Amino acid sequence: MLNNELNNLTSLVHPKQNLYEMTGGIISARVYKKDVFHKLGFPSPLLCEFGSYSSGDGGGYVGVVKCKQVILSAAVEASKLAAINVVCELTVQMLKERPHIISELQDMLSVFAK
């Protein structure tokens, strides 16, 4: 019963906190205004056409999760809060499906540290 209660509590953790705990803090999550995201030179194929938020008007926000310069995921949403929550939860779900990615990122970081 206790194990079941603990599993239920993990769903109450904020997506960004859940992501940091899951990865041991080796990733960063940021939000950019969509027009700033493009000006910073991020690869445009990251943003597919997702309704009105990805139109050329520069509106909306882009949540980005990366480890150093490796972009793991990006999400376009109408608000900052939605962008960060969606991209963090997307990354959590991706890492649950493929947990080996975390160890590969840790290995990459250890190579950089040498």
Side-chain angles (χ1 to χ4, degrees), residues 4-15 18 89 96:
N4 215 13
E5 289 176 9
L6 289 175
N7 285 338
N8 289 338
L9 286 177
T10 60
S11 64
L12 298 176
V13 176
H14 190 279
N18 193 10
E89 187 59 29
K96 282 181 179 178

Side-chain angles (χ1 to χ4, degrees), residues 45-62:
L46 276 177
L47 300 181
C48 299
E49 292 299 320
F50 294 114
S52 62
Y53 304 130
S54 63
S55 63
D57 62 3
Y61 294 87
V62 182

Side-chain angles (χ1 to χ4, degrees), residues 38-79:
H38 289 296
K39 288 178 188 174
L40 290 173
F42 284 103
S44 57
L46 276 177
L47 300 181
C48 299
E49 292 299 320
F50 294 114
S52 62
Y53 304 130
S54 63
S55 63
D57 62 3
Y61 294 87
V62 182
V64 178
V65 171
K66 59 185 183 172
C67 178
K68 294 292 185 187
Q69 298 304 316
V70 177
I71 296 174
L72 301 176
S73 57
V76 180
E77 291 292 335
S79 72

Side-chain angles (χ1 to χ4, degrees), residues 7-109:
N7 285 338
N8 289 338
L9 286 177
T10 60
S11 64
L12 298 176
V13 176
H14 190 279
K16 189 173 182 181
Q17 182 65 31
N18 193 10
L19 180 61
Y20 284 142
E21 289 176 7
M22 182 182 210
T23 61
I26 63 171
I27 56 91
S28 65
R30 303 246 351 238
V31 177
Y32 303 92
K33 286 193 72 148
K34 199 173 133 238
D35 57 341
V36 172
F37 178 84
H38 289 296
K39 288 178 188 174
L40 290 173
F42 284 103
S44 57
L46 276 177
L47 300 181
C48 299
E49 292 299 320
F50 294 114
S52 62
Y53 304 130
S54 63
S55 63
D57 62 3
Y61 294 87
V62 182
V64 178
V65 171
K66 59 185 183 172
C67 178
K68 294 292 185 187
Q69 298 304 316
V70 177
I71 296 174
L72 301 176
S73 57
V76 180
E77 291 292 335
S79 72
K80 287 181 182 182
L81 184 60
I84 197 70
N85 286 344
V86 168
V87 77
C88 287
E89 187 59 29
L90 173 69
T91 308
V92 164
Q93 295 305 316
M94 178 182 72
L95 294 174
K96 282 181 179 178
E97 286 289 319
R98 304 219 187 311
H100 68 277
I101 292 173
I102 297 171
S103 61
E104 290 175 6
L105 292 170
Q106 290 168 334
D107 291 346
M108 177 190 74
L109 291 174

